[in-house]
Amino acid sequence: TREYAIVQSEFYLKPNEDTPDGLWTFDMDAAAKKMPSHVLFNGSTRALMEPPLEANAGDRVRLYVHNVGPNDHSSFHVIGVIFDRVFFEGNPRNEWFGMQTVPLGASNGAVVEFIVPEEGDYLLVDHEFADVMKGAAGRLSAKSITGTATKTANPMKH
């Protein structure tokens, strides 16, 4: 089993024109309107793209996903897989089966599990695609069952 932690968070920032070093500062107006400037996995843009998470075809992958908010929902999804088991809030008594997208409110979490179906790249997204454009995207790169790349693996098209 491959295990990874994914923390989704949103930030409300604006460029600070008073500093020459490109620092950003908190934007209270944007926070009050629930209009984040950034929505991220693991604290920064592209944090899970380069380098990607890794697995082999046929591996079971377990993702510990937490939407720390503070305001918005997340519709966590891995393009190209079905979550065969989901433990909402990490509780084995809250088990869901056969899901494509897991709804997570602010402060909710889940443990999601799936089998990697084949070699290739699988994108991790918040299926609220405005959030993807703000940074909530990642990638799982899967090699062949032997752990080697047997072919050029282009992103899957769905």
Side-chain angles (χ1 to χ4, degrees), residues 31-150:
K33 294 175 184 172
K34 295 185 177 182
M35 296 178 61
S37 57
H38 300 78
V39 181
L40 308 172
F41 290 153
N42 291 12
S44 68
T45 56
R46 303 190 63 78
L48 300 178
M49 293 295 280
E50 294 299 333
L53 305 179
E54 296 179 349
N56 294 329
D59 282 353
R60 174 168 290 282
V61 174
R62 179 179 295 140
L63 302 175
Y64 299 89
V65 183
H66 193 179
N67 177 26
V68 298
N71 293 315
D72 286 342
H73 289 82
S74 172
S75 297
F76 184 76
H77 178 72
V78 179
I79 298 171
V81 305
I82 299 293
F83 303 138
D84 53 0
R85 295 180 359 168
V86 174
F87 302 102
F88 186 69
E89 297 287 54
N91 185 338
R93 292 169 54 190
N94 294 335
E95 189 171 8
W96 299 338
F97 301 95
M99 298 187 70
Q100 294 183 52
T101 303
V102 179
L104 299 172
S107 87
N108 287 137
V111 179
V112 301
E113 294 185 352
F114 59 93
I115 303 291
V116 178
E118 63 184 0
E119 180 178 350
D121 284 339
Y122 298 85
L123 296 181
L124 293 73
V125 298
D126 177 344
H127 216 289
E128 297 176 26
F129 279 105
D131 291 343
V132 172
M133 300 306 293
K134 294 178 181 180
R139 181 168 62 106
L140 176 95
S141 183
K143 294 184 177 176
S144 73
I145 201 161
T146 62
T148 59
T150 58

